[in-house]
Amino acid sequence: MSKSLEHAARWFHALADETRLRIVHRLSEGEQCVCDLTDVLGTGQSLLSFHLKTLKEAGILRDRREGRWVYYSLNLEALEEIEKLVGSLKAMNGRLQAALKCCE
Amino acid sequence: MSKSLEHAARWFHALADETRLRIVHRLSEGEQCVCDLTDVLGTGQSLLSFHLKTLKEAGILRDRREGRWVYYSLNLEALEEIEKLVGSLKAMNGRLQAALKCCE
DNA sequence: TTGACAAATCAAGAAAAGTTGATATATTGG
DNA sequence: CCAATATATCAACTTTTCTTGATTTGTCAA
């Protein structure tokens, strides 16, 4: 755990922003090119680029260039790891609860 | 989803810090009083208080006063919701993949 | 090759979050 | 009630992150 803390924190930080969550949600429908994501933000293109970079560097998105366009998609492995991590945080606690329940 | 985005972002933000993850990890062993958590941080007590507050306000921790001491514990429901949320982000994508696989 | 479009990068400023030390509040034991 | 201990809050400061507009890079089509 201790070594992966930094990594985990980076994951959560990447998800800790409404706009980025909106992007991830959009991409959960499947791969999309940047140009199709522009409407997610009311504002400038550079900001979208910034958020995409943040998510990509955290390992949550992958990108792929195809001619003029760049396509982004979710990295499902990362999301799975995050899901497991969250699960593991409550896991031990749950076990303790269960253990206590049996001894009431 | 759209209405809960802000809430979700607050959850992830609360978890987007190594120290707070360390606290959560500690608490996954069960409820602990603040005084037992002081060693999680190398530094001052007010900082610990700040991080606990951040986690509590995000709904991830509960607190309970018992005499002079305040005990913090995980809010398992919140962690479960977070886990489900992360799962749902990859879910549709997974379904699409599965759907495609069957038609190869 | 040039012009047009997609996307990334950069620099500068604004906003938010983290950190620190000092002080306040609450509770209990003496 | 007073002194001691646990925890929270506050104000000031530092650091990080977000946002914007301008510039750059890459790719294609004419």
Side-chain angles (χ1 to χ4, degrees):
Chain A
M1 180 84 182
S2 33
K3 229 3 168 343
S4 58
L5 271 186
E6 189 191 337
H7 198 210
R10 217 179 311 144
W11 276 337
F12 289 124
H13 169 258
L15 296 173
D17 178 280
E18 277 196 56
T19 302
R20 290 195 289 267
L21 282 177
R22 216 170 286 127
I23 291 171
V24 170
H25 189 232
R26 250 318 193 62
L27 292 178
S28 76
E29 297 165 14
E31 186 185 61
Q32 304 209 24
C33 78
V34 178
C35 56
D36 287 334
L37 288 169
T38 45
D39 62 315
V40 169
L41 256 58
T43 41
Q45 171 265 322
S46 67
L47 186 53
L48 175 56
S49 212
F50 166 77
H51 286 305
L52 286 170
K53 187 184 178 189
T54 303
L55 283 163
K56 182 187 161 191
E57 287 184 341
I60 291 173
L61 300 189
R62 301 186 175 296
D63 66 341
R64 167 177 83 81
R65 174 151 229 144
E66 193 174 316
R68 263 195 266 203
W69 296 275
V70 175
Y71 290 85
Y72 280 85
S73 58
L74 296 185
N75 179 4
L76 293 183
E77 288 79 48
L79 288 174
E80 230 152 89
E81 283 194 63
I82 296 171
E83 193 182 6
K84 275 184 209 154
L85 173 61
V86 175
S88 78
L89 289 176
K90 55 164 219 218
M92 181 174 286
N93 216 309
R95 267 184 251 128
L96 280 180
Q97 279 198 184
L100 288 172
K101 196 159 285 178
C102 81
C103 306
E104 271 164 7
Chain B
M1 179 81 180
S2 32
K3 230 359 173 341
S4 58
L5 271 186
E6 188 190 339
H7 198 210
R10 217 179 313 144
W11 275 338
F12 289 124
H13 169 258
L15 295 173
D17 178 281
E18 277 195 57
T19 303
R20 290 196 290 267
L21 282 177
R22 216 170 285 128
I23 292 171
V24 169
H25 189 232
R26 252 314 193 66
L27 291 178
S28 76
E29 296 165 15
E31 187 185 62
Q32 303 209 25
C33 79
V34 178
C35 55
D36 286 333
L37 289 169
T38 45
D39 63 315
V40 171
L41 256 57
T43 40
Q45 170 267 322
S46 68
L47 187 53
L48 175 56
S49 213
F50 165 79
H51 285 304
L52 287 170
K53 187 184 177 189
T54 302
L55 284 163
K56 183 188 161 189
E57 287 183 342
I60 291 173
L61 300 188
R62 301 186 174 299
D63 66 342
R64 168 177 82 81
R65 172 151 230 141
E66 193 173 315
R68 264 195 265 202
W69 297 275
V70 175
Y71 289 85
Y72 280 86
S73 58
L74 296 185
N75 178 4
L76 293 183
E77 288 80 47
L79 287 174
E80 229 153 88
E81 284 195 61
I82 296 171
E83 193 183 6
K84 276 185 209 154
L85 174 61
V86 176
S88 79
L89 288 177
K90 55 163 217 217
M92 180 174 286
N93 216 309
R95 266 184 250 128
L96 281 182
Q97 280 199 182
L100 289 173
K101 196 159 286 180
C102 80
C103 306
E104 272 164 7

